Amino acid sequence: GGPLGLADDSSALFVTPESEEHVINGIATAMNQLVDDPDLAESISCAARARAEAEFSWETVANSWMQAY
């Protein structure tokens, strides 16, 4: 997803898109971080789910659209 869908690094690991090689290496590094640190993986997972449920539920999205129009 794009950067607008992410609030902060509590729910994601970020990779800067400097070059194709940098992105590939960054994704591999991030994946290894999650494999090597199950607590980090769980923390990010829980934060991402909580944010998705709070900000992207059908009710929240519908209310945002209703307010805009």
Side-chain angles (χ1 to χ4, degrees), residues 5 15 25-26 30 36 46 51-52 66:
V15 175
N25 290 334
D36 293 341
C46 289
R51 181 164 183 261
M66 293 299 288

Side-chain angles (χ1 to χ4, degrees), residues 36-48:
D36 293 341
D37 189 346
D39 292 336
L40 174 63
E42 184 174 358
S43 173
I44 287 175
S45 175
C46 289

Side-chain angles (χ1 to χ4, degrees), residues 2 6 13 16 20-21 30-31 34 36 40 43 47 54-55 57 60 67:
L6 301 173
L13 295 176
T16 55
E20 182 178 350
E21 182 179 349
M31 290 173 68
L34 296 174
D36 293 341
L40 174 63
S43 173
E55 296 184 26
S57 70
T60 302
Q67 288 177 3

Side-chain angles (χ1 to χ4, degrees), residues 1-63:
L4 296 178
L6 301 173
D8 58 41
D9 62 357
S10 70
S11 61
L13 295 176
F14 293 94
V15 175
T16 55
E18 295 173 15
S19 67
E20 182 178 350
E21 182 179 349
H22 187 267
V23 170
I24 292 168
N25 290 334
I27 291 171
T29 299
M31 290 173 68
N32 284 329
Q33 273 185 278
L34 296 174
V35 169
D36 293 341
D37 189 346
D39 292 336
L40 174 63
E42 184 174 358
S43 173
I44 287 175
S45 175
C46 289
R49 181 179 179 119
R51 181 164 183 261
E53 289 174 346
E55 296 184 26
F56 303 109
S57 70
W58 283 114
E59 184 178 353
T60 302
V61 171
N63 287 336

